[in-house]
């Protein structure tokens, strides 16, 4: 069994848009990320993605549906194949749950893409 204090884990890194792995279950990773600014438009063709806001506010923009504003304590699941763009005007702490093979930028490859093997454990 794994016990982790998320607030302590968030203190271990400063990079934005660089997920850190804190656990795994049922072939899924639990990741923490600090977000600030605008990410990129992307989707995850075959995987849902769970966002849980630990601290701050996150706006999820969508091309085909209404945008969703998430506040501390809110959770949202982006369905597979849905194009989305995360935006955090101020620093936001997010916990993500997604299959182990899911790239955080989906099929989009940019400077912000961090390979799964480079998403270190903390």
């Amino acid at each position: 069994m794994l016990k982790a204090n998320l607030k302590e884990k968030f203190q271990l890194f400063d990079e934005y848009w660089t997920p850190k792995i804190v656990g795994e279950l049922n072939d899924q990773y639990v990741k923490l990320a600090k977000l600030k600014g605008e990410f990129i438009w992307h989707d995850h063709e075959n995987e849902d993605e769970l966002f849980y806001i630990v601290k701050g506010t996150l706006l999820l923009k969508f091309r085909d549906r209404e945008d969703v504003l998430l506040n501390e304590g809110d959770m949202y699941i982006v369905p597979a194949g849905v194009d989305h763009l995360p935006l955090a005007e101020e620093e936001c702490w997010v916990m993500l749950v997604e299959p182990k093979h899911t790239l955080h930028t989906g099929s989009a490859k940019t400077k912000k893409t961090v390979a799964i093997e480079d998403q270190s454990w903390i």
Side-chain angles (χ1 to χ4, degrees), residues 59-115:
L59 178 65
L60 290 174
K61 292 185 164 198
F62 298 99
R63 296 187 195 274
D64 65 346
R65 59 192 73 195
E66 268 191 53
D67 296 345
V68 174
L69 182 64
L70 301 172
N71 295 298
E72 189 171 314
D74 288 342
M75 180 192 86
Y76 187 82
I77 298 171
V78 176
V82 173
D83 212 16
H84 58 287
L85 181 139
L87 173 66
E89 291 196 19
E90 301 295 327
E91 183 173 277
C92 178
W93 295 0
V94 178
M95 182 175 70
L96 305 159
V97 179
E98 56 196 13
K100 288 182 180 181
H101 62 273
T102 302
L103 281 174
H104 72 122
T105 56
S107 59
K109 302 283 192 257
T110 73
K111 295 184 287 189
K112 293 184 178 184
T113 301
V114 179

Side-chain angles (χ1 to χ4, degrees), residues 1 5 7 14 17-18 20 30 47-48 50 52-53 55-56 61 63 66 74 77 102 105 114:
M1 297 192 54
N5 182 294
K7 289 181 182 179
D14 293 316
W17 306 107
T18 305
K20 306 295 183 191
V30 178
E47 304 92 20
D48 299 330
L50 181 144
Y52 174 77
I53 308 305
K55 177 181 169 186
K61 292 185 164 198
R63 296 187 195 274
E66 268 191 53
D74 288 342
I77 298 171
T102 302
T105 56
V114 179

Side-chain angles (χ1 to χ4, degrees), residues 14-58:
D14 293 316
E15 307 89 14
Y16 294 122
W17 306 107
T18 305
K20 306 295 183 191
I21 302 166
V22 293
E24 62 181 293
L25 70 154
N26 301 322
D27 208 32
Q28 306 238 349
Y29 279 137
V30 178
K31 300 177 183 181
L32 302 181
K34 288 183 178 179
L35 314 180
K36 187 173 181 183
E38 185 175 282
F39 198 46
I40 63 166
W41 283 103
H42 68 286
D43 69 17
H44 305 281
E45 185 177 352
N46 300 306
E47 304 92 20
D48 299 330
E49 181 177 28
L50 181 144
F51 288 82
Y52 174 77
I53 308 305
V54 176
K55 177 181 169 186
T57 301
L58 180 68

